[in-house]
Amino acid sequence: MADATDDRLRLLIERIERLEEEKKGIADDIRDVYAEAKAVGYDPKIMRQIVRLRKMKPDDRSEMEAILDTYKAALGLG
Amino acid sequence: MADATDDRLRLLIERIERLEEEKKGIADDIRDVYAEAKAVGYDPKIMRQIVRLRKMKPDDRSEMEAILDTYKAALGLG
Amino acid sequence: MADATDDRLRLLIERIERLEEEKKGIADDIRDVYAEAKAVGYDPKIMRQIVRLRKMKPDDRSEMEAILDTYKAALGLG
Amino acid sequence: MADATDDRLRLLIERIERLEEEKKGIADDIRDVYAEAKAVGYDPKIMRQIVRLRKMKPDDRSEMEAILDTYKAALGLG
DNA sequence: ACTGGCAGTCGTCTTC
DNA sequence: GAAGACGACTGCCAGT
């Protein structure tokens, strides 16, 4: 028995699955770019840090880095 | 100084950032579908389990469920 | 210069680090138990599911499983 | 029916559960320390970065920071 | 093939 | 109460 309710759920699930596939495709593309970067000598892990930093608003980033420096100084992490 | 090397890195980073944006867009869409499902009475958490189960190959799923039942029985999780 | 403020931060950090070490020790122990279980033929991944199920209140678990069955039926995931 | 096999599985599960509880206790303690630090004016998020940095071997950390600076310069993240 | 490291996902907590 | 952000955990992938 597959009534209207079943179909509604099925439709929602299928939309999600389609979107998940798309998302996976993009994620794979990202992975490829990092691999390509690594192949020409860049460090993927540090590139990820860069991406993270660039995501921040400049002022927030500056402030964060200033505090970080303070803490590092306090702990002898020069 | 922005030489060719710098540009290569910048290009790679920008490709990644563009892809990350696309990915986030898709993720937001997925979130919306779950929200819509919840609004009509479905349980999003359980829907996620369904999506996970459907991702598996049928044989693998059957086997997994069989083992799970065995373990549940062994522990009185009737 | 290491004034009182520095020391306060340092002390907090060191307490955290000590606790993190303890936590890692426990996590390693857990990993060992799963490895031991695997060595005698149990499936660690499914054991994790069992642990998750046992964490739930019995009534919540029953209800969840009932809904899950309904959804599975609706999608032909017999 | 609870034969020897069942008991072996049960025993393993129970050991895991006990360890999980301990782990959760420690995690809560860590959370408390961060909360305490925040209460006296420290930034927990940045403290976590410090903890991460201190976990690294000094040479690795220096090298990582050097590369990071290079990349930041290349991207105008002064 | 296995172990360790990393990224992505999931759940929690805080904020609005 | 819901939404958004953050941190923790699990699963996956690469390296050995």
Side-chain angles (χ1 to χ4, degrees):
Chain A
M1 181 191 75
D3 62 21
T5 301
D6 292 352
D7 284 343
R8 186 159 61 171
L9 178 58
R10 179 193 302 276
L11 251 22
L12 289 162
I13 294 285
E14 286 173 355
R15 278 171 62 196
I16 289 165
E17 285 171 341
R18 208 169 321 265
L19 290 165
E20 292 279 9
E21 272 178 58
E22 286 183 52
K23 186 154 73 86
K24 187 180 188 317
I26 310 279
D28 289 345
D29 290 345
I30 293 171
R31 176 186 307 274
D32 288 346
V33 180
Y34 279 115
E36 181 185 335
K38 184 177 183 177
V40 296
Y42 294 111
D43 184 320
K45 186 169 174 177
I46 297 178
M47 287 177 67
R48 288 176 192 276
Q49 291 189 54
I50 293 288
V51 171
R52 226 175 294 135
L53 288 172
R54 279 170 55 108
K55 221 180 290 189
M56 301 178 70
K57 291 173 58 180
D59 288 357
D60 290 347
R61 183 173 64 78
S62 300
E63 192 194 340
M64 188 270 278
E65 288 177 335
I67 300 174
L68 183 59
D69 285 344
T70 308
Y71 289 7
K72 285 169 74 170
L75 293 159
L77 271 178
Chain B
M1 180 192 73
D3 62 22
T5 302
D6 292 352
D7 284 344
R8 185 159 63 169
L9 178 58
R10 180 194 301 276
L11 251 23
L12 289 162
I13 295 285
E14 286 172 354
R15 277 172 63 198
I16 289 165
E17 285 171 341
R18 204 162 329 255
L19 289 165
E20 291 279 10
E21 273 176 58
E22 286 183 51
K23 185 154 74 85
K24 187 181 188 315
I26 310 277
D28 289 345
D29 290 346
I30 292 171
R31 172 187 308 274
D32 289 346
V33 180
Y34 278 115
E36 181 185 333
K38 184 178 183 177
V40 296
Y42 293 112
D43 183 318
K45 187 168 175 178
I46 297 178
M47 286 178 68
R48 286 177 193 274
Q49 292 189 52
I50 292 289
V51 171
R52 226 176 292 135
L53 289 173
R54 278 169 57 108
K55 220 180 289 186
M56 301 178 70
K57 289 172 59 181
D59 288 357
D60 290 347
R61 181 172 64 77
S62 300
E63 192 193 339
M64 188 269 277
E65 288 178 333
I67 301 173
L68 183 59
D69 285 345
T70 307
Y71 290 7
K72 285 169 75 170
L75 293 159
L77 270 177
Chain C
M1 180 192 75
D3 61 22
T5 301
D6 291 352
D7 285 343
R8 185 159 63 169
L9 178 57
R10 181 193 301 276
L11 251 24
L12 289 162
I13 295 284
E14 286 172 353
R15 277 171 62 196
I16 290 165
E17 285 171 340
R18 206 166 325 260
L19 289 165
E20 291 279 10
E21 273 176 58
E22 286 183 53
K23 185 154 75 87
K24 186 179 189 319
I26 310 278
D28 289 345
D29 290 345
I30 293 171
R31 175 186 306 273
D32 289 346
V33 180
Y34 279 115
E36 181 185 334
K38 183 178 183 177
V40 295
Y42 293 112
D43 184 319
K45 188 169 174 177
I46 298 179
M47 286 177 69
R48 288 178 192 274
Q49 292 189 52
I50 292 288
V51 170
R52 226 175 293 135
L53 288 172
R54 279 169 56 109
K55 221 181 289 185
M56 300 178 69
K57 289 173 60 180
D59 290 357
D60 290 348
R61 183 173 62 78
S62 300
E63 191 193 340
M64 189 270 277
E65 288 178 333
I67 300 174
L68 183 58
D69 285 345
T70 307
Y71 289 8
K72 285 169 75 169
L75 293 159
L77 271 177
Chain D
M1 181 192 76
D3 62 21
T5 302
D6 292 351
D7 284 344
R8 184 159 64 172
L9 178 58
R10 180 194 301 278
L11 251 23
L12 289 162
I13 294 286
E14 286 172 355
R15 277 172 61 196
I16 290 166
E17 286 171 341
R18 208 168 322 263
L19 289 165
E20 291 280 9
E21 273 176 58
E22 286 182 52
K23 185 155 74 85
K24 187 180 188 317
I26 310 278
D28 289 344
D29 290 345
I30 292 171
R31 175 186 306 274
D32 289 346
V33 180
Y34 278 115
E36 181 185 334
K38 183 177 184 177
V40 296
Y42 293 111
D43 184 319
K45 187 170 174 177
I46 297 178
M47 287 176 68
R48 288 177 193 274
Q49 290 189 57
I50 292 288
V51 170
R52 226 175 294 135
L53 289 172
R54 279 169 56 110
K55 222 181 289 189
M56 301 177 70
K57 289 173 58 181
D59 289 357
D60 290 347
R61 183 173 64 78
S62 300
E63 192 193 341
M64 189 270 278
E65 287 177 334
I67 301 174
L68 183 58
D69 285 345
T70 308
Y71 289 8
K72 285 169 73 170
L75 292 159
L77 270 178

